[in-house]
Amino acid sequence: MKKLGDFLISPDGSTEIVMGNTAIVRGMIESGVRVVTSYPGSPTPEIAAAITAIPKDKNPLYFEFSTNEKVATEVAFGASINGHLSTVFFKSVGLNVAADTFVQLGHMEIIGGMVIILGDDPGANSSQNEQDNRHYARLAYVPMLEPSTPTESYTMFKKAAQLSIERCMPVILRMTTHVCHAKEKVTFSSWTPLPLDHSSRFNVDNGPYIPLTTKLVLPLKRRALEKLAQFAADADTSSLNTVINNNNPLYGIITMGAPFQSLQDVLEEAALKPDILKLGIIHPLPKQLVADFLRQHKEVKIVEELDDFIEQQVKALAYDMDISTKIIGKQDYEEWLNEYTPEKVYTILQKVWPHLLPNKKPPTPLLHWSPRPAQLCPGCGHRSAFHAIKQALDPNDITVADIGCHTLGIMEPYNMGQVLLCMGHSSGTAAGLSLFNNSRKVVAFLGDSTFFHAGLPGIINAVFNHHNFTLILLDNGTTAMTGHQSHPGVGYNVNGSTEKIPIRRVLDGIGITNIREIDAYAQGQLTEAVKAALTEKGFKVIIAKHPCMLKAMRERSAAGKPLPPSVEITTDCNQNYTCVSTFACPTFQRNEDGSIIVHKDLCIGDGSCKQTCPTKAILHKRPKKEDNS
Ligand code: SF4
Ligand code: SF4
């Protein structure tokens, strides 16, 4: 295989084994996308990794990580009304952040075209909920396509771009975790690179772009509805929807996306296969196509992950068109939950048509690993901070978590965080918890990337409305959880160096006077700072700072510098087990004979554990001076 960045921009066609996220990037290049924006979040980070793998001097895409999904959507929108095809991508709950902007897009003449890639997360593998973003497409009158394989991710991206340009409307490409990360041999077309066009085509006459007053808003809504109706009419004959005809007049299945692939596995050895209508266009529903499919079958089962989005529309359609086919939707709550793996689809079909299924259940995946709780990395500054903060808190105090690596503080043995909603909620929620509360202290946590993403409004509100709680900003100098992306506080972005916006200076600028800044490894100082802050009235901020050690160690390795020596347990160890039970660095392990060992291949030798041992039995050898540069 060619190098990733080279094949993505090669004018020649080729066949490569790639994941869905990578295949999409080739689709962007071939479609002539110019501007791509994002805020990092699983399951889509590999899209950014593929874009940044393209050599800078040959990359036709301008790419940025914006400060949040709303801003990313606005940058992509601005580029599009200026005439340049754009794409924005983010994770499922990112659409909630972008929603205020997103719901306007269907009303606008998006003259350059705009594709919104949504990484939905059935199974909530890396999200705080399992929301079904198909509802947003309906809410905002925006068409939505859904691929089921990496090949379809590539072809459907190109189709989405084409439709968006032709109709001057945004189009959503809904990916799900499985499709984003599945790998497959994808055959890519050749393409002709076009010279970069730097002209501005923004023209106010393409608007109106100011949706104010009923005189303007209602016509814009009418136009959005008309465009969507036209899209629906064309969807009836679109090749994006396919009927797999197994000559079965009794049973039919309507499905889409990843569940379609699972269904193929389940039915592979079935003697009598149902006919299948596979929808590539999820919204608007291709009504005539669906109606024809219903009329051709006695019973039709809807196999769709998450909510009953298609089911409700199909039932309404059958009612309106007087179709008597038995439509079988979700049978119980289990069908609303989790990814539709082959095993799950087998169980779902067994409830309604057991006689159609082969006796052989789909095989369970060969790779099976025991689930283990997520944990902070060895040497993580957050562990040190939580260990220190815990010493300062009363068990009755209330702690509010936020999103980031530091969310792991909610776990044993730290138990730091009893409430969690979404990115940046912690200051607002803590403010509410502190009202009509004169007995329990409230402590909120927030990460540095989230500070810039959605944390600031809650902080400003705390100042503006004189709230009474302590905010602990856990600053590790990166967006660690999603793969160490940059943020406005670090002085560089994906394109190179940029202005650094220090969090401290922002807080000073807001007028916060009660701020303490401490290295998260300085546990004694941090404990004392938290104790002091808790005795003070009003809004207090403590910045507990330490670089993400996973990133720091990787950079050290990449620079060819040896890792510091691991710590050692001396004979002073009296087996009180503070290191395993309270500090809980995963490097420490208790042997069957009760002794403690340090896993040398895990330990990064930072020594933050040393201060936690009551008998001083952890020996930390400082690295030689020349290695510590
Ligand atoms: S990635 Fe960095 S911040 Fe996240 S747990 Fe690991 S060391 Fe800590
Ligand atoms: S020095 Fe080793 S054992 Fe101690 S905290 Fe760091 S990684 Fe864990």
Side-chain angles (χ1 to χ4, degrees):
M1 179 178 157
K2 289 195 193 91
K3 271 171 79 181
L4 175 64
D6 291 337
F7 106 75
L8 284 171
I9 51 164
S10 166
D12 304 329
S14 65
T15 299
E16 312 284 346
I17 297 172
V18 291
M19 63 169 74
N21 280 340
T22 312
I24 280 181
V25 176
R26 173 70 187 204
M28 289 180 197
I29 303 278
E30 290 182 31
S31 302
V33 171
R34 286 293 170 260
V35 173
V36 188
T37 57
S38 179
Y39 183 81
S42 196
T44 57
E46 297 82 6
I47 298 177
I51 293 173
T52 51
I54 300 171
K56 268 202 169 70
D57 55 332
K58 296 182 188 151
N59 196 339
L61 308 173
Y62 165 82
F63 174 57
E64 72 172 43
F65 279 122
S66 310
T67 44
N68 67 24
E69 295 86 349
K70 182 173 184 289
V71 178
T73 305
E74 288 152 1
V75 175
F77 164 69
S80 177
I81 60 170
N82 200 27
H84 302 292
L85 178 59
S86 67
T87 297
V88 59
F89 67 92
F90 40 70
K91 67 178 290 152
S92 60
V93 289
L95 188 50
N96 302 336
V97 180
D100 218 10
T101 297
F102 167 76
V103 294
Q104 294 302 114
L105 299 180
H107 296 69
M108 301 286 165
E109 279 298 276
I110 308 273
I111 61 157
M114 178 173 173
V115 180
I116 299 151
I117 302 171
L118 267 181
D120 266 10
D121 188 12
N125 299 291
S126 53
S127 313
Q128 67 265 30
N129 70 19
E130 202 194 33
Q131 73 184 41
D132 189 333
N133 277 325
R134 294 177 300 172
H135 299 291
Y136 268 114
R138 197 168 154 82
L139 175 79
Y141 320 119
V142 175
M144 175 181 268
L145 313 183
E146 181 168 349
S148 66
T149 59
T151 296
E152 285 185 7
S153 305
Y154 160 67
T155 54
M156 279 197 193
F157 181 91
K158 293 202 292 182
K159 193 71 189 166
Q162 182 203 328
L163 290 167
S164 178
I165 295 168
E166 282 169 8
R167 291 155 199 248
C168 297
M169 66 197 299
V171 175
I172 303 169
L173 187 72
R174 180 190 187 235
M175 304 285 287
T176 53
T177 307
H178 189 84
V179 180
C180 285
H181 294 152
K183 276 194 168 180
E184 165 178 79
K185 214 182 236 189
V186 181
T187 299
F188 298 104
S189 314
S190 56
W191 69 292
T192 312
L194 294 171
L196 291 186
D197 166 15
H198 289 276
S199 61
S200 166
R201 287 193 289 282
F202 176 70
N203 184 345
V204 76
D205 294 338
N206 289 326
Y209 290 116
I210 299 188
L212 291 180
T213 78
T214 48
K215 215 171 136 206
L216 284 176
V217 171
L218 301 187
L220 289 183
K221 181 173 173 181
R222 182 171 292 112
R223 186 177 65 190
L225 289 167
E226 285 166 0
K227 279 189 188 178
L228 202 63
Q230 186 56 53
F231 200 101
D234 296 346
D236 279 326
T237 52
S238 168
S239 58
L240 294 170
N241 303 311
T242 39
V243 175
I244 297 157
N245 191 348
N246 291 316
N247 295 316
N248 192 332
L250 295 179
Y251 304 109
I253 291 176
I254 299 177
T255 190
M256 69 293 304
F260 169 73
Q261 294 302 328
S262 296
L263 190 63
Q264 299 280 79
D265 283 0
V266 168
L267 296 176
E268 198 180 0
E269 292 181 24
L272 181 65
K273 292 188 172 104
D275 293 339
I276 299 172
L277 169 55
K278 175 184 174 289
L279 297 175
I281 299 175
I282 304 304
H283 182 71
L285 196 68
K287 288 188 179 171
Q288 198 53 52
L289 182 68
V290 172
D292 290 346
F293 188 78
L294 291 177
R295 285 197 186 99
Q296 288 157 10
H297 299 92
K298 198 160 174 268
E299 295 183 13
V300 168
K301 166 76 182 159
I302 319 282
V303 178
E304 60 180 325
E305 248 167 6
L306 303 185
D307 299 353
D308 56 353
F309 181 77
I310 297 292
E311 175 187 333
Q312 290 301 327
Q313 294 184 66
V314 171
K315 284 179 174 169
L317 181 76
Y319 178 84
D320 286 349
M321 293 188 152
D322 210 12
I323 297 170
S324 59
T325 302
K326 182 178 175 189
I327 298 164
I328 309 168
K330 295 187 185 287
Q331 302 295 294
D332 52 40
Y333 290 142
E334 277 314 304
E335 293 189 29
W336 289 68
L337 304 172
N338 226 327
E339 290 183 293
Y340 273 27
T341 58
E343 284 165 295
K344 178 135 186 160
V345 170
Y346 187 94
T347 312
I348 287 169
L349 291 182
Q350 206 170 31
K351 283 183 254 177
V352 290
W353 299 330
H355 57 287
L356 291 189
L357 292 173
N359 287 332
K360 210 172 90 190
K361 274 193 169 192
T364 44
L366 290 175
L367 270 176
H368 229 54
W369 52 89
S370 333
R372 67 179 175 96
Q375 55 187 338
L376 295 163
C377 302
C380 177
H382 296 336
R383 173 181 295 101
S384 189
F386 287 133
H387 183 76
I389 295 162
K390 197 165 184 180
Q391 319 300 316
L393 297 187
D394 183 278
N396 204 31
D397 293 339
I398 303 172
T399 50
V400 184
D402 210 279
I403 305 271
C405 278
H406 58 89
T407 312
L408 296 171
I410 64 174
M411 302 178 75
E412 293 281 356
Y414 320 109
N415 301 315
M416 291 283 117
Q418 297 152 313
V419 196
L420 174 67
L421 286 177
C422 59
M423 294 278 283
H425 88 107
S426 61
S427 290
T429 301
L433 280 161
S434 67
L435 295 173
F436 295 96
N437 168 10
N438 56 15
S439 57
R440 300 171 74 187
K441 309 283 187 200
V442 181
V443 174
F445 298 103
L446 185 69
D448 44 342
S449 189
T450 314
F451 171 84
F452 292 105
H453 172 279
L456 259 173
I459 292 173
I460 293 170
N461 183 64
V463 177
F464 179 52
N465 287 307
H466 295 155
H467 282 294
N468 179 27
F469 67 94
T470 302
L471 173 68
I472 302 182
L473 260 160
L474 295 153
D475 181 357
N476 57 12
T478 184
T479 314
M481 193 175 63
T482 48
H484 301 121
Q485 294 85 2
S486 56
H487 64 60
V490 298
Y492 58 90
N493 62 25
V494 279
N495 299 310
S497 65
T498 182
E499 293 75 18
K500 182 173 177 162
I501 306 171
I503 290 177
R504 174 66 193 250
R505 212 187 313 150
V506 176
L507 296 174
D508 287 338
I510 292 170
I512 301 170
T513 49
N514 192 337
I515 306 174
R516 294 171 169 89
E517 228 173 329
I518 295 149
D519 189 315
Y521 274 10
Q523 291 166 12
Q525 285 177 40
L526 184 53
T527 303
E528 290 313 310
V530 177
K531 277 185 187 164
L534 292 180
T535 63
E536 294 158 1
K537 277 222 164 306
F539 179 53
K540 294 87 51 175
V541 180
I542 298 172
I543 306 173
K545 220 170 174 169
H546 200 86
C548 165
M549 292 310 280
L550 181 64
K551 181 168 180 279
M553 288 301 123
R554 280 181 183 166
E555 286 168 356
R556 205 181 158 95
S557 275
K561 292 180 185 167
L563 296 186
S566 63
V567 294
E568 289 168 22
I569 305 294
T570 70
T571 49
D572 290 335
C573 174
N574 69 354
Q575 301 183 353
N576 61 73
Y577 304 128
T578 307
C579 55
V580 276
S581 60
T582 310
F583 189 65
C585 178
T587 296
F588 295 114
Q589 201 176 2
R590 188 176 156 171
N591 281 334
E592 272 180 17
D593 65 0
S595 62
I596 294 291
I597 55 160
V598 176
H599 274 283
K600 289 196 183 330
D601 45 353
L602 288 179
C603 178
I604 62 166
D606 56 275
S608 59
C609 51
K610 184 180 168 184
Q611 53 204 309
T612 67
C613 178
T615 59
K616 310 228 173 308
I618 299 174
L619 179 66
H620 176 224
K621 292 186 205 145
R622 296 217 166 266
K624 285 187 209 133
K625 244 204 171 125
E626 65 272 22
D627 297 344
N628 198 26
S629 48

